[in-house]
Amino acid sequence: MEIIQTIAGLLEAVRRNKPIVHHITNYVTVNDCANIALAVGASPIMADELEEMNDIVSIASALVINIGTLNRRTIESMVAAGKRANERGIPVVLDPVGAGASGLRNAAVERLLSEVKIGVLRGNLSEIRFAAGLESLTKGVDASEADLARNEETAQQVAERAATKLGCIVALTGAIDVISDGKRTLHIHNGVPQLSGVTGTGCMCSTLIGAFCGAKQEGDLLLAAAAGVAAMGIAGELAAEAAEGKGSGSFHIAIIDAVSRMDSELLASRAVIEAAAL
Amino acid sequence: MEIIQTIAGLLEAVRRNKPIVHHITNYVTVNDCANIALAVGASPIMADELEEMNDIVSIASALVINIGTLNRRTIESMVAAGKRANERGIPVVLDPVGAGASGLRNAAVERLLSEVKIGVLRGNLSEIRFAAGLESLTKGVDASEADLARNEETAQQVAERAATKLGCIVALTGAIDVISDGKRTLHIHNGVPQLSGVTGTGCMCSTLIGAFCGAKQEGDLLLAAAAGVAAMGIAGELAAEAAEGKGSGSFHIAIIDAVSRMDSELLASRAVIEAAAL
Amino acid sequence: MEIIQTIAGLLEAVRRNKPIVHHITNYVTVNDCANIALAVGASPIMADELEEMNDIVSIASALVINIGTLNRRTIESMVAAGKRANERGIPVVLDPVGAGASGLRNAAVERLLSEVKIGVLRGNLSEIRFAAGLESLTKGVDASEADLARNEETAQQVAERAATKLGCIVALTGAIDVISDGKRTLHIHNGVPQLSGVTGTGCMCSTLIGAFCGAKQEGDLLLAAAAGVAAMGIAGELAAEAAEGKGSGSFHIAIIDAVSRMDSELLASRAVIEAAAL
């Protein structure tokens, strides 16, 4: 399958080009994001002070904005970094953690989407629904059960509608992952339920997307997003095997292990990606 | 023993109700707190910006305030979140990390105790002694050796006096854990010395208490605090077995593993809790 | 070898004296720094609010300043803490993470070096070169490949010139580690390439240096720096063995394991240190 070969090639490009991925992210999962970036072959930078955003973004190949523990100060840094990334033409990944859970988050996401050209928006069903201005019932930072109760077709519809409305790639992750640019839509069938038992697997997925987006200039962001989501799902599968019977602490560590050991052949052989029927 | 059965039932309630536990906490151990919350079955949120405290606390079942890396900005968020939690009647757990080590911490703890109704105060002997305005010799963020040199009866007296004075549950953790509301006092004999060789085991204990406090409306906070302390101690025991001969990094991971695998039967069979003689 | 015996003795002193090492550090690797400090036998404090710097530094035996995720607020805390440490005569370790990557970092390092007497400056080749005002080509927070392409003699020259110019110990870590006070120079041949695949191994090294510097009053900081660098390198070697075939997540945990199990005999038997020819 051509998509699979492209994705496998992107992993090789990450390892070869070691893209610098600048993160403005939360302090809960930042260590995991840095380590998974290194594991996949990228070079992470984490910095959030407004005054250095211009300098740091100027040496980066991709920018990941994650609003997990946003505050007034860092929101300004996010906007400034995003604008600089747009000027330079490097891709911006936005992870709207907890969108819908507070007015501050809502306003920040709305502002980022209006002032910064986002390349890939990655979130769960509730977060994507909110970010696209679709109705949602968010419960904290996890996808609400009310949202999850709706069916897979809904996830596809939400991803496609959000992508069309926002003009970016949407990577909606959950039991089944849906990646869409509004016209092309991919379903990814990798992953395990244990991924929701560790904090930051969504954040790490966004970091992987950032690494794949930064691996090549002028690459297809839909496939870069799919590569990140597939790599995360496969890492979860491998980690579940490695940590079988141990628990969520060991599973957490095994995720990083799996990404660090992943090569393009493994990625190609395990990725389960299908183009969605329109 | 009735207490044991109640505590075991609380673990089932956490798993069933998945309480949202909002944390305003330090950036040192926040990842462990989020992961242990998930491991026990709760849904953690970590957020600290004043402007969103009202929204976030409004969807939470419990609030954990941990002053480990407090600053001027987050102190205001702690107070605001605490007040909102009080309005909603959800329990507030306060972890006065390093109380006594600086004037800023002293003032913050005093302010939190005066402006917010605290449900459970969890700390080591030095921290509790300070928070209750009893004399103490604090050395950094660990219980001072001078304090530890005093005997177990002292820990009980400190917990009881602090609980009576502050009108809340006090969970004083150390070689022997003492939980008291000033009238009822429990001793918990779980745990291993290795727990003090990993940062954040106190913070994680406070998170577990938050999860158990949030599991049921109108529950008995004394027993919820005992459940959190017992679960942490048992996790330490199991982790010490699992990481035997490996070191403190593996022990750290094994703590999370143990909580994620813990069920009510295991908790009931391993918890060693006795009511203290008055 | 006398140096080795002194270093081994320093490890015993850390375990015996449990020095409090105050950190103002980044939120990416802070948990690892706290855990490696505990593993080596020190007592870590992490705090960054200006108002409590005086109190906290007053109970510390060493101060570690790490600018990884600096901001306007914490820069002031770093300067204040450094000045207080100088007043008390306790050693200050500076880790100029990402020096050269932004004007803000440049200005912060310059200010710290001019307003605070630094005991040990630890960084990679690019960071040290920048901090000493030597020309460099920095790419993000890792030593630039252009810098690394130069030879080992260069690392020694840079360390010696930087130490002479700045009047402090320079610990330049990389494929080969060079420690110099401008007159005496040591090469340390421990470590494994995998150390660069985990975030924070540089930060953890700075923490270990802080612990060794704080172990004894009036100790030789050159040897304390060498002890920290050697301990980190040996931990990497042991971790590589323990995590053989597993991946970078397991290697990360095994680093902490190795430090927690390290004793003075192991340190003495594995440290490969040579005095550099002048």
Side-chain angles (χ1 to χ4, degrees):
Chain A
M1 188 180 172
E2 197 187 331
I3 290 172
I4 299 286
Q5 289 313 314
T6 303
I7 284 173
L10 279 176
L11 177 56
E12 290 173 6
V14 172
R15 293 263 157 83
R16 193 168 56 241
N17 299 331
K18 297 182 180 27
I20 293 183
V21 182
H22 177 214
H23 292 70
I24 306 174
T25 190
N26 68 77
Y27 55 79
V28 184
T29 66
V30 59
N31 185 264
D32 290 326
C33 290
N35 275 322
I36 210 159
L38 287 166
V40 80
S43 180
I45 301 185
M46 275 68 186
D48 68 20
E49 184 66 348
L50 179 59
E51 195 177 328
E52 66 173 345
M53 286 304 97
N54 206 64
D55 289 348
I56 301 280
V57 175
S58 297
I59 56 172
S61 297
L63 170 66
V64 175
I65 299 174
N66 175 310
I67 68 165
T69 52
L70 83 179
N71 62 47
R72 284 259 150 236
R73 179 179 67 80
T74 55
I75 290 169
E76 298 305 320
S77 303
M78 292 172 188
V79 172
K83 288 181 175 174
R84 178 69 184 130
N86 286 171
E87 278 176 12
R88 294 195 55 235
I90 65 168
V92 180
V93 178
L94 174 61
D95 190 330
V97 180
S102 77
L104 180 67
R105 279 162 206 263
N106 298 356
V109 170
E110 192 175 337
R111 185 172 164 205
L112 284 162
L113 286 167
S114 72
E115 299 190 29
V116 177
K117 180 169 170 40
I118 300 300
V120 181
L121 177 72
R122 192 220 61 84
N124 62 35
L125 186 54
S126 296
E127 291 161 348
I128 297 298
R129 195 172 258 148
F130 165 76
L134 310 171
E135 110 292 359
S136 175
L137 295 164
T138 295
K139 183 198 183 211
V141 295
D142 298 315
S144 74
E145 293 194 23
D147 281 343
L148 293 173
R150 308 180 192 198
N151 60 21
E152 181 181 341
E153 280 73 20
T154 303
Q156 184 175 335
Q157 285 172 10
V158 168
E160 290 175 350
R161 287 170 60 195
T164 301
K165 184 167 175 184
L166 302 173
C168 69
I169 308 297
V170 168
L172 191 164
T173 55
I176 291 178
D177 305 311
V178 182
I179 322 286
S180 181
D181 65 3
K183 293 173 187 162
R184 295 173 297 164
T185 298
L186 302 173
H187 285 200
I188 300 182
H189 296 274
N190 293 105
V192 289
Q194 292 96 311
L195 284 164
S196 62
V198 172
T199 193
T201 52
C203 307
M204 287 186 254
C205 185
S206 296
T207 288
L208 290 175
I209 292 172
F212 285 107
C213 286
K216 279 187 175 179
Q217 283 194 311
E218 309 292 330
D220 182 340
L221 295 187
L222 182 82
L223 296 185
V229 171
M232 191 69 209
I234 294 166
E237 295 167 9
L238 296 168
E241 291 167 21
E244 174 72 35
K246 290 185 181 166
S248 64
S250 294
F251 175 75
H252 175 187
I253 301 305
I255 291 169
I256 309 285
D257 278 346
V259 174
S260 74
R261 287 202 320 265
M262 193 177 291
D263 60 19
S264 56
E265 279 182 42
L266 179 73
L267 180 56
S269 70
R270 291 195 69 131
V272 182
I273 304 179
E274 55 168 354
L278 289 180
Chain B
M1 187 180 172
E2 197 187 330
I3 289 172
I4 299 286
Q5 289 313 314
T6 302
I7 284 172
L10 279 177
L11 177 55
E12 291 173 6
V14 172
R15 294 262 158 83
R16 194 168 54 241
N17 299 330
K18 298 181 178 28
I20 293 181
V21 182
H22 177 215
H23 292 70
I24 305 174
T25 191
N26 68 77
Y27 55 80
V28 184
T29 67
V30 59
N31 185 265
D32 290 326
C33 290
N35 275 323
I36 209 159
L38 287 167
V40 79
S43 179
I45 301 185
M46 275 67 185
D48 67 21
E49 184 65 348
L50 179 60
E51 195 178 328
E52 66 174 345
M53 286 304 96
N54 206 65
D55 290 347
I56 301 280
V57 175
S58 297
I59 56 172
S61 297
L63 170 66
V64 175
I65 298 174
N66 175 310
I67 68 166
T69 52
L70 82 179
N71 62 47
R72 283 258 150 236
R73 180 180 67 80
T74 55
I75 291 169
E76 297 306 319
S77 302
M78 291 170 187
V79 171
K83 288 181 176 175
R84 178 68 185 132
N86 287 170
E87 277 177 12
R88 293 195 56 235
I90 64 168
V92 180
V93 178
L94 174 61
D95 189 330
V97 180
S102 78
L104 180 68
R105 280 162 206 263
N106 297 357
V109 171
E110 191 176 337
R111 186 171 165 206
L112 284 162
L113 286 167
S114 72
E115 298 190 29
V116 177
K117 178 167 173 41
I118 300 300
V120 181
L121 177 73
R122 192 220 61 85
N124 63 34
L125 186 54
S126 296
E127 291 161 348
I128 298 297
R129 194 173 258 148
F130 165 77
L134 310 171
E135 111 289 1
S136 175
L137 295 164
T138 296
K139 183 199 182 208
V141 294
D142 297 316
S144 73
E145 293 194 25
D147 282 342
L148 292 173
R150 308 180 190 197
N151 59 23
E152 180 182 340
E153 281 73 21
T154 303
Q156 184 175 335
Q157 283 172 12
V158 168
E160 290 175 350
R161 287 170 61 195
T164 301
K165 184 166 176 186
L166 302 173
C168 68
I169 307 297
V170 168
L172 191 164
T173 55
I176 291 178
D177 305 311
V178 182
I179 323 286
S180 181
D181 65 2
K183 293 173 187 161
R184 295 172 297 165
T185 299
L186 302 173
H187 285 200
I188 300 183
H189 296 275
N190 294 104
V192 289
Q194 292 95 311
L195 284 165
S196 61
V198 172
T199 193
T201 52
C203 306
M204 288 185 255
C205 184
S206 296
T207 288
L208 289 176
I209 292 172
F212 284 108
C213 286
K216 279 188 174 178
Q217 283 194 312
E218 310 292 331
D220 182 339
L221 296 187
L222 182 82
L223 296 185
V229 171
M232 191 70 209
I234 293 167
E237 295 167 9
L238 296 168
E241 292 167 19
E244 175 72 36
K246 290 184 180 165
S248 63
S250 293
F251 175 74
H252 175 186
I253 301 305
I255 291 169
I256 309 285
D257 277 346
V259 173
S260 73
R261 287 202 321 265
M262 193 177 291
D263 60 17
S264 57
E265 279 182 41
L266 179 72
L267 181 57
S269 69
R270 291 196 69 131
V272 182
I273 304 179
E274 56 169 354
L278 290 180
Chain C
M1 187 181 173
E2 196 187 330
I3 289 173
I4 299 285
Q5 289 314 314
T6 303
I7 284 174
L10 279 176
L11 178 57
E12 290 173 7
V14 172
R15 294 264 157 82
R16 193 167 55 241
N17 299 331
K18 295 182 179 30
I20 293 182
V21 182
H22 177 214
H23 292 70
I24 306 174
T25 191
N26 68 77
Y27 54 80
V28 184
T29 66
V30 59
N31 185 264
D32 290 325
C33 290
N35 275 322
I36 210 160
L38 288 166
V40 79
S43 179
I45 301 185
M46 275 67 185
D48 67 22
E49 183 66 349
L50 179 60
E51 195 177 328
E52 65 174 345
M53 286 304 97
N54 206 64
D55 290 347
I56 301 280
V57 176
S58 296
I59 55 172
S61 297
L63 170 66
V64 175
I65 298 174
N66 175 310
I67 69 166
T69 52
L70 83 179
N71 63 46
R72 284 258 150 237
R73 179 180 67 80
T74 55
I75 291 169
E76 298 306 320
S77 302
M78 291 171 187
V79 172
K83 288 182 175 174
R84 178 68 185 131
N86 286 171
E87 278 177 11
R88 292 195 56 235
I90 64 168
V92 180
V93 178
L94 174 62
D95 189 330
V97 180
S102 78
L104 180 68
R105 279 162 207 263
N106 298 356
V109 170
E110 192 176 337
R111 186 172 164 205
L112 284 162
L113 286 167
S114 72
E115 298 190 29
V116 176
K117 180 169 171 38
I118 301 299
V120 181
L121 178 73
R122 192 220 61 86
N124 62 35
L125 186 54
S126 297
E127 291 162 347
I128 298 297
R129 194 172 260 147
F130 165 77
L134 311 170
E135 109 295 356
S136 174
L137 295 163
T138 295
K139 183 198 182 210
V141 295
D142 298 316
S144 74
E145 293 193 23
D147 282 343
L148 293 173
R150 308 181 191 197
N151 60 22
E152 181 181 340
E153 281 73 20
T154 303
Q156 183 176 337
Q157 284 172 11
V158 168
E160 290 175 349
R161 287 170 60 196
T164 302
K165 184 166 176 185
L166 301 173
C168 68
I169 307 298
V170 168
L172 191 164
T173 55
I176 291 178
D177 305 311
V178 182
I179 323 286
S180 182
D181 65 3
K183 293 172 187 161
R184 295 173 297 165
T185 299
L186 302 173
H187 285 200
I188 300 183
H189 296 274
N190 294 103
V192 289
Q194 291 96 311
L195 284 164
S196 61
V198 172
T199 193
T201 52
C203 307
M204 287 186 255
C205 184
S206 296
T207 288
L208 289 176
I209 292 172
F212 284 107
C213 285
K216 279 188 175 180
Q217 283 193 312
E218 309 292 331
D220 182 340
L221 294 188
L222 183 83
L223 295 185
V229 171
M232 191 69 209
I234 293 167
E237 295 167 9
L238 296 168
E241 292 167 20
E244 175 72 35
K246 289 185 181 165
S248 63
S250 293
F251 175 75
H252 175 186
I253 300 306
I255 291 169
I256 309 286
D257 278 346
V259 174
S260 73
R261 287 202 319 267
M262 193 177 291
D263 60 18
S264 56
E265 280 182 41
L266 179 72
L267 180 57
S269 69
R270 291 196 69 131
V272 182
I273 304 179
E274 56 169 354
L278 289 180

